[in-house]
Structures are given as structure tokens and as C-alpha cells.
Amino acid sequence: MPETLNLEEVKELLSTYKQMMYKIAYSILHKKTDAEDAVQDASLWIINNFKKICDIPCNERGFYIASIIRSASINLLNKQKRHIEYDIDEYKEKIVSDLSAEEAVVSKFTVEEIKEALKELSDSDYILMYLYAFKEMKPKEIAEIMGISEKNIRVYILRARKRLIQVLKRRGFDYEL
Amino acid sequence: MNFNEKLSKALEDSAEERMEEMCEVEKKHRFSLAYRLWERRTLDRLSGGVQQKVSLRRLRYMLTVTIAASLVLIGATVSAVVVANTRYSFEDHSEYSKLFIEKLHSDKEVIEEYYALPEEDGWQIKEAYVNELSTMICYKQNEKNVAFSQFIILDNYWGNVSTEKAVVEQMTLYEEDDAIYIDHATAAVVLLQCGKCRKRC
């Protein structure tokens, strides 16, 4: 535990995001006790890495914490064997081929259209997109924060991106080539 | 501007609003007693108060066992009985400064007075059980029974907990709002209410 840890700051941070963490955990685990377990794991991670969290600008902190609780929830699912490890090569091959076919189409979407479509993405997908596409973090870095294998992170990113494009198409923003 | 650049811009523009939405909670979750105790212990540990690490699962288990044991003890003989002439209620109330909770066997008279259960009114202890974690007392007056359990959950301190200086919160253990959780600077107390005590007019 860092010696300089400020108890009041820790309390404030946990209290600010506790409800959000529970909400995300519950949306993944669908069970109150499991969700609280995940919040506990995430809170411990936050306490043990408090300095790192403090270094993140305030307006971005929430997304990191959201990604931490998401990872804690998924780890819990893994422990309960309710979750599977993806075979990235097989999965990537399929999605990448789909994505490359769509690349020419998606480049025509406007920022506003993408913003609208982002609203329909789940919090988990949004967080991944935020860290990967906006913060330009590498899958390995995201994997470190979330405590999930890099393989899985790559799959999640590809899936999130694919879902975003599906939303764009469904909302009628599809452009014919 | 390619798709990734547009996506990045869209994310930048929408991030603040999205975070607000994520933090919005329709119905605030009331964390379980086990979680609150774990949080308290963990924060105590940060400030150097508590050395022992207790997991949430273990705490949940300990609490379940303790409460179950209490209820078994109180058990079949005493059920939730409404006591119409009890002077004090367990309602959390901001000006409810007189209520304080103490380890019963050391200050029985005070507790009886506060709960309006003096012997001269015919109230007698029917069953009592005290250990390091909890105190369970069943009082009886003719056909009326009052049972209450008090869990003082703390590692190294016994003392009065005044609601004047503590955060009092109604909480649910088995039935809705059947307990009160008192978070004090030096102690965390759970008062399990067996029977609805009402304030005497």
C-alpha cells in the first residue's frame, strides 16, 4: 500500500464511482452478490493502484474505472466458468474479412452519425472504443488495466467495432458504394 | 478524415455525456451489510486501524452464521411481535440522540430504560445470549415478547454509539427495513429489529 495514500481521497473516489461500478457489474453478472464481489475486487485494485488512478485526468477517470469493474466482472465470470476464452486467430480472420469489405463504406460516415450510433453501444463496447480508438491505447495496455488476456481484448475490440458498424447501417446511415 | 479519425472525434465529443449517463443510477443500490463492513474494515486498514484482511465472501458467511444463530436462539419462542407500549422506536431519526447501544450485560438497566422494559412494568428477560460479536435478549411481559439482537462489529473497540454522531441507515436483512446500520467513527453497529417497536405517545 502506498505510504502517501490519502484516506479521504480514496473514500471520495470509491464513493463517487461505487454505484456506477455496481451498475456495470450487475449488467454483466446479473446477480447482486456477484456484482458486489466484483465491486470489491475493483475497489481493491483501485486502492492498490491509487496513484495511477490519480494520474489520470478527472474527466477520463470514470472510463478507466468502468473498464476496471468490467474486467473484475469478467474475471468473476471466468472463475465461475461462465465465460470462454476466444480463439483470436479464428475470430479475427472472420471479422477482419468482414471489416475490410466494409472499410470503403464506413469511411463515408460522418462524425455526427458515428456519435449517434455510439449511443446505442453498450457501456462495455463504448469503453473499449474510447480506450482504443480515442486514447489510442494498445490492446496490451488495455489488457493490463482490465486484467484480461490481450487475445480477448483484441476480440472484444473487433466485436465492438463490428457492432458499431452494424448500428450505423441499421440506423440508415448505410452508403452504397 | 478516415473512419478511425472520425470515430476518435465522435468519442471525444460524446465522452462527457456518456460518462454522465453511466453514472446515472435510477435506483441507488443499497450495498449489503457484508460489503459495508468489508469497506469499512478495508478503509480502517488503510489508516492503520485494522491489520487483518477479511474477504467479502468470508464476511458474508460470518454474518449469515451469526445472524442465523441469533435467530435460532430467539427462534421459535419469540416471533415478531408488535409492542405497543415501547417508549422508543428503532426508526432512524436525525434528532434521535438519546438512543445509544452498549454491550448489554454491562449496562442492562440503561438499555431496559431506553427500551422501556423495566422489571417493575412486568418485563423480564426470558432468554439472553452474549458473545464477542453479538447480544441477543428476549424480554417477556405477560403475552408480549420483545426480542432484539445487537451486533457490534468491530475489531478492537467496545463503546457507546450515539446516533447523534453517527450515520444511521435503515437496512434490510431478511425483511424490508428490519435492521438499522449505524456507522460511527469508532464502531459499526447493526441493530436487528425483531418486532416493530413503536414510540409510546
Side-chain angles (χ1 to χ4, degrees), chain A residues 81-177:
Chain A
K81 297 184 180 171
R82 285 198 269 155
H83 197 67
I84 52 163
E85 177 102 359
Y86 294 98
D87 181 344
I88 180 71
D89 298 330
E90 187 190 325
Y91 202 83
K92 193 177 172 184
E93 201 176 307
K94 186 179 179 307
I95 292 187
V96 167
S97 67
D98 290 349
L99 286 176
S100 56
E102 287 172 331
E103 200 58 43
V105 178
V106 297
S107 62
K108 297 193 181 223
F109 295 130
T110 66
V111 173
E112 280 309 307
E113 287 166 347
I114 297 169
K115 254 173 80 176
E116 285 301 308
L118 282 171
K119 286 181 184 169
E120 283 195 35
L121 280 197
S122 68
D123 288 342
S124 300
D125 284 348
Y126 187 94
I127 292 161
L128 274 173
M129 288 282 98
Y130 180 86
L131 297 177
Y132 180 71
F134 175 61
K135 296 306 293 176
E136 296 181 343
M137 289 173 74
K138 294 190 173 86
K140 193 181 171 187
E141 292 171 312
I142 301 174
E144 272 170 23
I145 292 182
M146 298 179 89
I148 299 175
S149 72
E150 191 184 338
K151 261 185 176 184
N152 274 1
I153 288 291
R154 285 181 187 278
V155 172
Y156 294 150
I157 290 169
L158 286 170
R159 287 206 310 193
R161 188 184 151 100
K162 189 170 169 61
R163 275 196 282 266
L164 176 66
I165 291 168
Q166 280 167 353
V167 173
L168 281 161
K169 286 184 164 184
R170 186 161 39 78
R171 290 172 69 99
F173 296 142
D174 200 358
Y175 290 91
E176 295 299 327
L177 277 171

Side-chain angles (χ1 to χ4, degrees), chain B residues 12 20 32-33 48 50 58 63 86 88 109 118 125 135 181:
Chain B
E12 186 182 7
E20 277 173 19
S32 67
L33 174 62
V50 178
R58 187 173 157 77
L63 272 174
T86 304
Y88 293 97
E109 290 82 7
I125 290 180
T135 304
Y181 177 74

Side-chain angles (χ1 to χ4, degrees), chain A residues 1 5 18-19 22-23 36-37 39-40 62-63 106-107 109 118 121-123 126 129 134 161, chain B residues 3-4 6 11-12 14-15 18-19 21-22 24 28-29 31-32 35 38-39 43 46 56 60:
Chain A
M1 207 70 63
L5 207 61
K18 200 159 80 170
Q19 292 293 336
Y22 179 83
K23 189 176 147 188
E36 285 192 1
D37 285 345
V39 174
Q40 181 201 25
F63 288 109
V106 297
S107 62
F109 295 130
L118 282 171
L121 280 197
S122 68
D123 288 342
Y126 187 94
M129 288 282 98
F134 175 61
R161 188 184 151 100
Chain B
F3 179 71
N4 285 342
K6 287 178 196 169
L11 285 162
E12 186 182 7
S14 61
R18 183 71 179 219
M19 184 36 67
E21 279 172 22
M22 279 166 67
E24 257 177 33
K28 215 173 169 187
H29 172 65
F31 279 84
S32 67
Y35 182 86
W38 168 81
E39 188 178 60
L43 293 174
L46 286 181
L56 183 53
R60 199 178 287 140

